[in-house]
Amino acid sequence: MTFRTRLLLIFTMAVVLSVGVAELLVSAGIREQFERLEAQRVDALVAQFRKEYARSGEEIARAVNGIAASNTVIDIAAQTDYSSYYGEAAELAAAHGLDLLELVAADGTIISSFEWPARFGYKEDWLTQHPDWKSRGAFLKSEELENGVILSLVAVGTATASDKVLYVAGGKRLDRAFLSALVLPAGMRALLYRNLQPRFTPADLIDASGTAPDAAELRPLIERVKQLKREETESIGSGAGAETIHAIPLPGLDNDLLGVLLVASSRRELVELEAFLLKLGIAVASGGIFLGIALSWWATARITKPVRRLAESAGKVAAGDWGATVEVATADEIGQLARAFNRMTHELVEQRERLVQSERVAAWRELARRLAHELKNPLFPLQITVENMQRARDQYPEQFDEVFREGSATLLAELANLKQIISRFSDFAKMPAPEMQRLQLNGLASDTLKLFAPQLAQAHIAVRTELDPNLAVIMGDREQLTRVLRNLTLNAIDAMPQGGTLTIRTVAQETGVRLDVSDTGQGLTPEECARLFTPYYTTKTHGTGLGLAIVQSVISDHGGRISVESEPGKGSTFRIDLG
């Protein structure tokens, strides 16, 4: 991925993330504010219901207590025969605006019933179980009528005459008319579930217009309130039709649950506002993407162009053009970087020249030292042999022929040694270019091990091969690579004078092949590893120090790389990577 593409992605992601985070924060704030406002609206409606409920209860209690205190009711209480007062409740209820009214004797017998006249003579035992009705106030009660059971708000008063007590129980229906009296804000509605049946009955859930149409959706909430007898809140529906329902239990006289008030608040405004914010966020994000493209294009034109020039110049330096420079067109950080790069290349050129000169002097000194060392060994026997021949001719003429023959043989042998030394230095000086052909590295490794099998057995060295059967065919010079394998094998043998294990391993890689030659010898120090491929450097007591230098030269000519991994006492591994 290019820097320009990354910059484009960074700008785009920054804009999109900023818009996204802002939208999330705004949405969360709006949602929180909406929930707070909704809670206030629900609380206000619940307070209004309770206020209306309490006002209605007070009105009913006043009306009932007024009826109980009237002369008519006191006169009825003083009577012993109540049969003539069968229809009295209807007149009193109509006069005081009550939906329900019953006159009940002290033993609980109904004297007169407005809501169900046929109940004359029936018992209302619950009235006799609470002696202090006057302080009780209004309460919620289920009332059985001819056409079913209703929920009502009831108060009880008592009339006393001649030590006789008469109960006056009156009230009003709690139905849709009561809900219609509530002033509802826009988007809110009130519902009442009359818990008059053991099981949930959809017809008992009403609103201001009649039976509520969504009884099935509200049933789980109502059932939960009936079971727990506490206020519960739940959201129903989805999208613009979603509502938050707040359910309030309504207990009766004996704290039994007779009803559930449900306050429904529409979430349409929140849903529509969130949809608007989402569309706005998408629009702003789209604009941000285009803005990010424009900004990234401008930034890349201003930033990546000089950076690309720096990269090109750095590539030239890596390719060997140490004098490459870049044009300085600005005074900002990029310009400072360009000037620093130019100073670096200038210093590199100067250091390279100094390094080349010092390396050249060091190389000649090392070559001279190595040549002197290598030539010194055969020159000394040559000198001794010539001196012996001269001494024999002067002092022992009769033995001269025999000394001459022996001396000639020694001279020829040492001259051959000199010729071999000179040949090795000559070979290193003029390594031929590789002649490439298709090769299988596993075959070269196997052939090398066969060649050294007697020498390895004599040195008590075990051989282990781990040759990858999936090794790819490579291009290389068979003779030069064979020379590399032989040289590394000889080094491994020299490293294990007391015997050990030689491991040849090949591994297939994505970019080519790898060859490892490992020994279990005495190993090398980090300093020795760093200088190991330097020409004329050797860790042996004999040799020219050209073997590994030649190996590195061959591998380099093949476009590969050679390295060494070693620790003292843990052996060494020479690793070759070829394409």
Side-chain angles (χ1 to χ4, degrees):
M1 183 182 295
T2 63
F3 179 72
R4 174 175 291 184
T5 305
R6 288 199 298 271
L7 202 60
L8 171 61
L9 291 176
I10 290 172
F11 273 115
T12 304
M13 289 178 63
V15 173
V16 172
L17 286 176
S18 300
V19 173
V21 170
E23 183 176 356
L24 287 175
L25 293 175
V26 172
S27 298
I30 290 176
R31 180 180 292 273
E32 182 181 355
Q33 187 65 25
F34 181 87
E35 299 290 351
R36 187 183 299 111
L37 179 61
E38 181 182 288
Q40 293 174 356
R41 293 167 65 189
V42 170
D43 292 343
L45 185 57
V46 171
Q48 182 188 166
F49 170 81
R50 286 176 174 160
K51 183 178 180 181
E52 184 67 22
Y53 186 85
R55 186 189 62 78
S56 298
E58 291 173 358
E59 289 181 356
I60 292 169
R62 277 196 304 269
V64 169
N65 288 325
I67 293 172
S70 67
N71 293 330
T72 301
V73 174
I74 292 175
D75 290 342
I76 295 172
Q79 305 299 318
T80 56
D81 182 10
Y82 300 118
S83 59
S84 60
Y85 301 103
Y86 174 81
E88 194 67 30
E91 295 179 8
L92 293 171
H96 291 81
L98 298 176
D99 299 327
L100 310 168
L101 184 65
E102 287 183 339
L103 303 178
V104 183
D107 61 353
T109 302
I110 297 175
I111 298 172
S112 178
S113 176
F114 167 55
E115 61 268 21
W116 195 355
R119 293 186 67 195
F120 174 81
Y122 280 71
K123 290 284 189 178
E124 290 282 16
D125 293 331
W126 62 274
L127 286 169
T128 64
Q129 297 173 2
H130 296 272
D132 189 16
W133 282 113
K134 189 173 183 179
S135 62
R136 181 67 179 81
F139 55 89
L140 202 61
K141 184 179 182 299
S142 62
E143 192 72 32
E144 186 176 357
L145 303 180
E146 291 180 278
N147 55 353
V149 183
I150 66 169
L151 191 63
S152 60
L153 189 59
V154 175
V156 177
T158 56
T160 305
S162 303
D163 295 329
K164 291 183 179 181
V165 177
L166 180 70
Y167 296 102
V168 180
K172 291 184 178 181
R173 295 170 181 262
L174 202 64
D175 54 11
R176 63 176 186 171
F178 181 84
L179 296 176
S180 299
L182 299 175
V183 180
L184 300 175
M188 298 190 73
R189 60 188 180 121
L191 304 95
L192 177 66
Y193 177 72
R194 300 165 296 180
N195 189 30
L196 306 174
Q197 305 295 332
R199 301 181 62 184
F200 178 83
T201 306
D204 287 331
L205 181 63
I206 61 171
D207 57 17
S209 60
T211 302
D214 49 356
E217 293 181 353
L218 297 174
R219 178 176 180 176
L221 176 61
I222 295 172
E223 293 283 8
R224 193 162 66 251
V225 173
K226 288 172 61 178
Q227 179 182 0
L228 301 176
K229 294 183 179 180
R230 69 185 184 194
E231 296 185 14
E232 293 287 326
T233 302
E234 183 177 298
S235 294
I236 64 170
S238 60
E243 287 182 309
T244 300
I245 311 295
H246 189 73
I248 304 168
L250 302 175
L253 178 63
D254 297 320
N255 207 31
D256 51 336
L257 187 67
L258 294 180
V260 180
L261 175 68
L262 298 107
V263 179
S265 177
S266 175
R267 302 180 70 85
R268 178 183 295 274
E269 294 180 359
L270 177 62
V271 172
E272 291 177 350
L273 183 57
E274 287 181 337
F276 170 76
L277 288 175
L278 179 61
K279 293 179 181 178
L280 181 63
I282 293 174
V284 173
S286 300
I289 291 174
F290 289 111
L291 178 62
I293 294 174
L295 287 175
S296 64
W297 186 267
W298 174 82
T300 51
R302 183 175 178 84
I303 298 174
T304 60
K305 188 174 181 179
V307 171
R308 189 165 57 248
R309 290 175 180 171
L310 277 171
E312 292 173 354
S313 298
K316 293 179 181 178
V317 172
D321 184 7
W322 289 22
T325 58
V326 292
E327 180 181 353
V328 180
T330 61
D332 55 11
E333 290 83 355
I334 299 297
Q336 294 176 6
L337 180 61
R339 283 189 289 273
F341 180 86
N342 291 339
R343 286 196 302 271
M344 179 194 71
T345 56
H346 179 70
E347 292 175 359
L348 281 175
V349 170
E350 293 181 351
Q351 291 180 3
R352 179 172 177 268
E353 292 176 353
R354 290 194 297 267
L355 182 62
V356 167
Q357 293 176 2
S358 62
E359 285 184 347
R360 186 180 297 115
V361 171
W364 279 111
R365 287 176 178 175
E366 183 64 23
L367 177 60
R369 187 189 67 81
R370 184 60 60 180
L371 278 172
H373 176 76
E374 293 296 326
L375 295 177
K376 183 178 179 180
N377 291 333
L379 286 176
F380 182 71
L382 286 174
Q383 180 181 355
I384 296 298
T385 301
V386 172
E387 290 177 351
N388 288 337
M389 292 173 65
Q390 289 178 341
R391 190 181 299 109
R393 187 189 62 180
D394 295 337
Q395 300 178 5
Y396 310 102
E398 67 281 0
Q399 299 178 4
F400 177 76
D401 291 339
E402 181 179 354
V403 172
F404 180 78
R405 284 193 301 272
E406 293 177 357
S408 298
T410 301
L411 289 173
L412 291 174
E414 293 302 329
L415 289 172
N417 189 16
L418 280 172
K419 184 178 180 180
Q420 184 179 5
I421 293 171
I422 294 171
S423 177
R424 284 200 300 268
F425 280 91
S426 177
D427 289 342
F428 178 70
K430 54 178 183 179
M431 286 292 296
E435 297 180 4
M436 298 297 187
Q437 56 181 304
R438 293 170 62 84
L439 297 176
Q440 177 54 257
L441 200 58
N442 285 347
L444 291 180
S446 299
D447 293 344
T448 300
L449 290 176
K450 290 179 183 178
L451 177 65
F452 286 95
Q455 191 172 348
L456 291 168
Q458 184 178 0
H460 303 289
I461 296 175
V463 178
R464 186 174 67 184
T465 57
E466 298 176 7
L467 305 180
D468 191 341
N470 300 318
L471 206 65
V473 174
I474 63 170
M475 299 299 294
D477 188 308
R478 177 180 295 274
E479 182 179 348
Q480 291 187 12
L481 291 179
T482 299
R483 184 175 182 180
V484 167
L485 286 171
R486 291 177 180 178
N487 200 312
L488 293 178
T489 303
L490 283 172
N491 280 355
I493 294 174
D494 292 339
M496 297 182 287
Q498 307 301 323
T501 301
L502 172 65
T503 302
I504 305 292
R505 181 185 301 106
T506 58
V507 180
Q509 296 183 302
E510 294 183 2
T511 57
V513 298
R514 170 171 288 179
L515 170 69
D516 289 345
V517 178
S518 303
D519 62 64
T520 58
Q522 57 189 3
L524 301 168
T525 65
E527 293 77 10
E528 290 173 335
C529 291
R531 299 186 59 193
L532 201 58
F533 298 102
T534 304
Y536 318 121
Y537 175 79
T538 180
T539 60
K540 306 173 186 178
T541 56
H542 61 279
T544 61
L546 296 176
L548 289 177
I550 293 174
V551 167
Q552 186 183 48
S553 177
V554 170
I555 299 302
S556 177
D557 289 344
H558 282 74
R561 180 176 178 272
I562 183 170
S563 60
V564 61
E565 296 178 1
S566 181
E567 291 184 30
K570 295 185 179 181
S572 304
T573 297
F574 287 87
R575 176 160 295 160
I576 297 174
D577 291 310
L578 294 171

